[in-house]
Amino acid sequence: MTKNKDFFGSLKADFPSGLVVFLVALPLCLGIALASGAPPLSGIIAGIIGGIVVGVISKSHISVSGPAAGLTAIVLTAISTLGSFEVFLLSVFLAGVFQLILGFIRAGSISNYFPSNVIEGMLAGIGVIIILKQLPHAVGFDADFEGDEAFLEPDGNNTFSAILGALDYFHLGAIIITIVSLIILISWDKFPFLKKLKLVPGALVAVIVGIILNEIFMRTGSKLAIAEAHLVKLPVPQSFEDLKNIIVTPDFTGISNPQVWITAATITVVASIETLLCIEASDRMDVQKRYTDTNVELKAQGIGNMMSALIGGLPMTSVVVRSSANANAGAKSKTSTIIHGILLLICVLSIPVILNKIPLATLAAVLLVVGYRLAKPATIMHFWHKGKYQFVPFIATLLAVVFTDLLKGVALGMIISIIFVLRGNLKRAYNFRKDDYTEGDIIHIDLAQEVSFLNKAAIKTTLNEIPECSKVVIDASDTVYIAHDVLDLIQEFRDVKSKEKNIKVKLVGFKEAYELENTDWGKQNVFVEHKVKKLETIK
């Protein structure tokens, strides 16, 4: 596939996906603000800036930025410690400055060292969390704020006890709306006669039907009517003056407070790591396999956090839940992200009354579908069949994300992956040879005996720097182990990136166990230069 260079060239796909992300982001922005002890509008402001400003600057085609659940505890504690929301906004502004600096010193390159099985484990873990956290909302029991991702909850319960508690308080009307919404969402792309309505996303139809059903329940006096507590709660300013009064600005008089700088540094570290993790995950979800410049992303996040702070918004990151919804809805470019931000802005200024009629049960159905696609059994079985070196870090990351949080889960997966690599490299050194070349020459890339995910960054850089119209020979004749990440990278280069730059690629010596055919330059027929026995399992 080729890159989409026309900003509006894929509007037919990006507008529906932007609408879906808007519907998902709206309650999440409000819920995260509520849980953070911040004004409700601050979450919406961060969502607007994350969509429009970060969306324009970022080079990512799939990721969506906004207020993140991972920062909730930090924000809540910081507001209490600093004494006011205005002083906290100063910390957010400084965090944006720090992120901008990180972008300029090219700190974003650390994302290349996240192995794919850990990233996939993180995505599957987020999918499981979405499903578990949305089940109570789906049955009309909303004890937790929308967007809560923590296993241990502030009231002393946990994710599983909250689900059990919901069984005692389920609401039949909410269950009916959830079931109807799920039927619409699952069947929308299944029937041929509905394909003509592709521009109208199933999520929008589900929301409209959910509103209509609840209005019927309310107007007929039915016990199935969903109470206001289980609907979207968007602030409703009565005038432009009311809206202006809601917006607050940073208190720069707190610049000499050491706690302000400590809070800023904390937000910088957590927000930057979460962003880089999400960018790596978003690139994997991109069907066109485009790579994001993570240094530009850090700059975009920095500018976004500075602007969000200046008008009273929460700190933001690139967010997995919204990015996953964007990818699943069929987004082709970052136009989708920008559209979601514009819709958030419009809804604040014009139609909050209508949006406040949306049942959370309908939005729970949308998120349940997103969660299933992230954590479907086929993904787990895929890594099971890849062997223990792929499966153990994957499943450990998944479980740790569910039972702790995103950062701790990824840290555990990274530690296990590194232990495996160190064990495998104990007696083998990694060798990577790159000859000097000019345009049109034949380039030889000889892979060493052990090629782990730690070598991914160097290989990725080398492949990206190969000039157009070249001939490349990638030789794996001497290897005994190649990480799944590197195999994916080579395959994506051969099948996608090389075609964009008119590069002819020849693969030599790749064993059957790698599941990557040896091919001649630019041809799909199997080409064998070395007769190699099937690779035995490395223990």
Side-chain angles (χ1 to χ4, degrees):
M1 294 186 185
T2 58
K3 294 180 180 178
N4 183 7
K5 297 181 180 179
D6 183 358
F7 190 73
F8 296 102
S10 57
L11 190 62
K12 188 175 181 180
D14 287 330
F15 182 79
S17 57
L19 188 56
V20 170
V21 178
F22 157 70
L23 293 171
V24 170
L26 178 64
L28 295 180
C29 290
L30 294 170
I32 290 169
L34 178 65
S36 302
L41 195 61
S42 64
I44 299 292
I45 290 171
I48 293 170
I49 298 296
I52 300 175
V53 177
V54 177
V56 169
I57 301 173
S58 170
K59 298 296 184 182
S60 175
H61 298 270
I62 299 298
S63 72
V64 182
S65 296
L71 295 174
T72 300
I74 296 172
V75 174
L76 184 62
T77 303
I79 293 174
S80 175
T81 303
L82 297 173
S84 75
F85 185 63
E86 290 79 3
V87 177
F88 167 73
L89 290 177
L90 175 58
S91 292
V92 178
F93 180 84
L94 292 173
V97 174
F98 293 158
Q99 284 186 305
L100 197 57
I101 294 171
L102 288 176
F104 278 111
I105 64 175
R106 307 187 67 79
S109 59
I110 65 171
S111 65
N112 288 316
Y113 300 101
F114 300 142
S116 63
N117 51 0
V118 173
I119 296 299
E120 293 286 355
M122 178 192 76
L123 287 173
I126 291 291
V128 172
I129 289 174
I130 292 172
I131 293 171
L132 296 177
K133 291 292 185 180
Q134 290 303 316
L135 287 175
H137 294 288
V139 299
F141 177 68
D142 306 325
D144 301 328
F145 67 91
E146 192 70 66
D148 179 24
E149 294 177 4
F151 180 73
L152 297 176
E153 298 167 358
D155 58 4
N157 290 320
N158 58 52
T159 302
F160 295 115
S161 63
I163 294 173
L164 293 175
L167 298 178
D168 296 328
Y169 297 97
F170 69 85
H171 188 277
L172 185 58
I175 293 174
I176 291 173
I177 289 177
T178 299
I179 293 173
V180 171
S181 299
L182 284 172
I183 292 172
I184 293 171
L185 291 166
I186 293 170
S187 63
W188 193 248
D189 295 324
K190 301 292 184 183
F191 297 103
F193 69 91
L194 291 176
K195 289 184 178 179
K196 297 179 180 179
L197 302 174
K198 189 68 176 177
L199 192 60
V200 181
L204 177 61
V205 178
V207 165
I208 293 172
V209 171
I211 293 174
I212 292 173
L213 283 175
N214 194 46
E215 286 294 310
I216 292 173
F217 294 156
M218 293 173 63
R219 294 180 186 278
T220 58
S222 171
K223 292 182 179 179
L224 299 176
I226 298 176
E228 187 177 332
H230 305 294
L231 304 176
V232 169
K233 301 183 190 69
L234 188 67
V236 185
Q238 300 300 319
S239 64
F240 181 77
E241 193 66 28
D242 288 347
L243 184 63
K244 189 169 69 173
N245 292 334
I246 293 174
I247 296 176
V248 295
T249 56
D251 181 2
F252 284 93
T253 61
I255 194 73
S256 60
N257 185 347
Q259 196 62 44
V260 168
W261 293 86
I262 293 172
T263 301
T266 304
I267 293 172
T268 301
V269 172
V270 176
S272 299
I273 292 175
E274 287 206 11
T275 291
L276 294 177
L277 286 169
C278 181
I279 289 298
E280 192 72 14
S282 299
D283 285 354
R284 294 195 66 79
M285 291 186 285
D286 183 4
V287 295
Q288 297 187 50
K289 300 302 178 187
R290 294 164 290 191
Y291 300 135
T292 299
D293 187 329
T294 48
N295 297 305
V296 173
E297 185 65 30
L298 286 178
K299 295 175 188 176
Q301 294 291 328
I303 294 171
N305 275 317
M306 291 166 66
M307 292 189 64
S308 179
L310 289 174
I311 57 176
L314 289 176
M316 71 184 73
T317 72
S318 183
V319 188
V320 175
V321 176
R322 271 158 270 191
S323 302
S324 303
N326 195 34
N328 289 329
K332 300 296 184 184
S333 75
K334 62 182 181 178
T335 305
S336 174
T337 302
I338 298 169
I339 288 171
H340 122 273
I342 293 172
L343 291 175
L344 282 173
L345 177 61
I346 292 172
C347 83
V348 171
L349 298 176
S350 59
I351 55 172
V353 175
I354 296 175
L355 294 171
N356 284 348
K357 295 180 181 294
I358 300 176
L360 291 179
T362 294
L363 298 177
V366 175
L367 286 167
L368 285 171
V369 172
V370 171
Y372 174 77
R373 287 175 178 172
L374 286 175
K376 53 189 176 184
T379 302
I380 299 174
M381 294 309 298
H382 168 77
F383 282 96
W384 172 260
H385 292 306
K386 288 292 180 183
K388 65 180 180 181
Y389 289 103
Q390 289 293 317
F391 181 74
V392 173
F394 166 81
I395 201 68
T397 304
L398 188 160
L399 294 174
V401 166
V402 172
F403 289 103
T404 57
D405 59 44
L406 185 148
L407 294 183
K408 291 176 184 175
V410 170
L412 178 63
M414 288 289 293
I415 290 170
I416 294 174
S417 295
I418 290 171
I419 290 172
F420 282 173
V421 170
L422 293 176
R423 181 183 175 188
N425 282 331
L426 188 60
K427 297 182 179 180
R428 300 182 181 96
Y430 169 69
N431 253 328
F432 183 80
R433 182 176 63 83
K434 181 180 70 173
D435 291 334
D436 292 332
Y437 53 81
T438 57
E439 187 172 341
D441 289 344
I442 297 178
I443 302 157
H444 294 271
I445 299 175
D446 301 326
L447 302 181
Q449 284 189 334
E450 289 277 347
V451 185
S452 72
F453 72 87
L454 294 175
N455 308 124
K456 175 181 171 184
I459 296 175
K460 188 177 188 180
T461 301
T462 298
L463 294 178
N464 283 338
E465 290 177 352
I466 292 175
E468 295 184 0
C469 304
S470 301
K471 292 183 178 181
V472 181
V473 178
I474 302 177
D475 192 344
S477 301
D478 297 327
T479 62
V480 294
Y481 169 75
I482 303 179
H484 183 68
D485 297 54
V486 178
L487 289 172
D488 280 350
L489 186 66
I490 293 171
Q491 184 172 6
E492 289 169 9
F493 175 77
R494 183 194 66 183
D495 297 341
V496 181
K497 306 292 287 186
S498 65
K499 292 180 173 59
E500 295 176 1
K501 298 172 70 174
N502 195 27
I503 297 171
K504 295 183 178 180
V505 182
K506 180 177 181 180
L507 302 187
V508 177
F510 283 82
K511 302 170 178 58
E512 292 179 20
Y514 297 158
E515 298 181 357
L516 188 62
E517 291 180 345
N518 296 299
T519 55
D520 209 339
W521 286 314
K523 298 180 181 179
Q524 296 300 316
N525 56 301
V526 177
F527 156 82
V528 181
E529 183 166 303
H530 299 280
K531 187 176 181 181
V532 185
K533 295 182 179 180
K534 187 172 182 180
L535 180 67
E536 295 179 352
T537 303
I538 299 175
K539 299 183 179 178

